[in-house]
Amino acid sequence: MNNIPLHVAFIMDGNGRWAAARGKARRAGHEAGAEAVRALIKNAEAAGIKFITLYAFSNENWQRPEGEIKDLMRLLSKSLDEFDKTSRENNARFLVSGRRDRLPPDVLKKIDKITAATAGNKGLTVILALNYGARQEITDAVNALMSAGKKNVTEDDISAALYNPAAPDPDLIIRTSGEERLSNFLLWQAAYSEFYFTPVLWPDFDKAELEKALAVYAARKRKFGNI
Ligand code: FPP
């Protein structure tokens, strides 16, 4: 396919509804969601995408019941172990976007280990948005610039002070489950992103669904404010 986006960001929504539709606990939906992430990493790489960002846990998600937060952190910890192994074979690079506060020490330890171990990898870059909020990211950037003594701040200054300044802005943002909003995700970086919304629930977002989204993107005309 022509016109493959360099960077695709995913709002992985609908795990709970997927589980409810099967009479299962929400945890089963998140497990199926993690399985979909595993497949996505392979499929995105095969499609020629260079960066993916996954909205895994927002800073508003701390409001969820304690049991669900524990389940998500456990699943995340397990997924990090798997990524650690697979990145040796597929040469993928791992980065995290978000605040470190409130994350369990074992998760932080794994993040640091994998980030360091994969820093030189040249394959797909996988960015996990974890304990992430876009307004917080922009506020953190502005505060960092003020602490550095800046009196006047430019757009480039803010871009350079975000959590992952080296990642290009997402060309395409995909949200599953029929919801059509950004939910405090990449507000700065999404200025010229294309959006793709699908009613498909995240655990069902497979290779065919990714290809559909890429075909829609390929047909879009991006003008970046020009004519
Ligand atoms: C939204 O579904 C999904 C999340 C809050 C978390 C995303 C987590 C995963 C896909 C699993 C693990 C992630 C990784 C990176 C291994 P929801 O619970 O809001 O669904 P609902 O709106 O149907 O209730």
Side-chain angles (χ1 to χ4, degrees), residues 51-168:
F51 293 80
I52 58 171
T53 295
L54 304 165
Y55 204 2
F57 196 88
S58 76
N59 57 15
E60 284 98 11
N61 286 151
W62 294 109
Q63 296 168 44
R64 292 194 175 201
E66 208 183 306
E68 179 161 347
I69 294 174
K70 275 213 177 98
D71 286 341
L72 280 167
M73 290 300 153
R74 211 177 303 126
L75 195 55
L76 188 72
S77 190
K78 194 175 143 223
S79 301
L80 287 171
D81 290 338
E82 283 169 14
F83 189 88
D84 194 13
K85 278 197 209 114
T86 52
S87 63
R88 281 176 246 264
E89 294 143 32
N90 61 16
N91 206 23
R93 182 165 66 134
F94 178 78
L95 295 169
V96 162
S97 216
R99 281 239 186 128
R100 292 174 69 89
D101 60 314
R102 298 184 78 176
L103 290 175
D106 72 301
V107 166
L108 288 174
K109 221 167 127 188
K110 286 181 189 183
I111 286 172
D112 291 342
K113 179 176 170 241
I114 304 170
T115 306
T118 65
N121 287 359
K122 299 278 182 271
L124 177 73
T125 297
V126 178
I127 304 171
L128 206 60
L130 187 61
N131 193 15
Y132 177 85
R135 286 184 173 181
Q136 192 171 65
E137 178 180 33
I138 297 165
T139 308
D140 285 351
V142 171
N143 278 320
L145 292 165
M146 289 200 308
S147 299
K150 281 260 176 202
K151 295 272 186 297
N152 277 297
V153 168
T154 64
E155 290 187 11
D156 285 346
D157 288 334
I158 293 181
S159 292
L162 297 176
Y163 295 143
N164 275 309

Side-chain angles (χ1 to χ4, degrees), residues 173-192:
I173 297 179
I174 295 177
R175 184 171 190 151
T176 56
S177 91
E179 309 296 336
E180 301 193 353
R181 58 181 171 273
L182 262 182
S183 299
N184 203 15
F185 186 49
L186 304 178
L187 297 181
W188 182 270
Q189 299 88 331
Y192 286 101

Side-chain angles (χ1 to χ4, degrees), residues 190-215:
Y192 286 101
S193 301
E194 296 293 323
F195 290 89
Y196 178 83
F197 299 108
T198 170
V200 168
L201 302 174
W202 177 253
D204 294 326
F205 191 87
D206 58 9
K207 186 165 187 262
E209 294 300 332
L210 177 67
E211 282 168 358
K212 252 193 246 173
L214 293 178

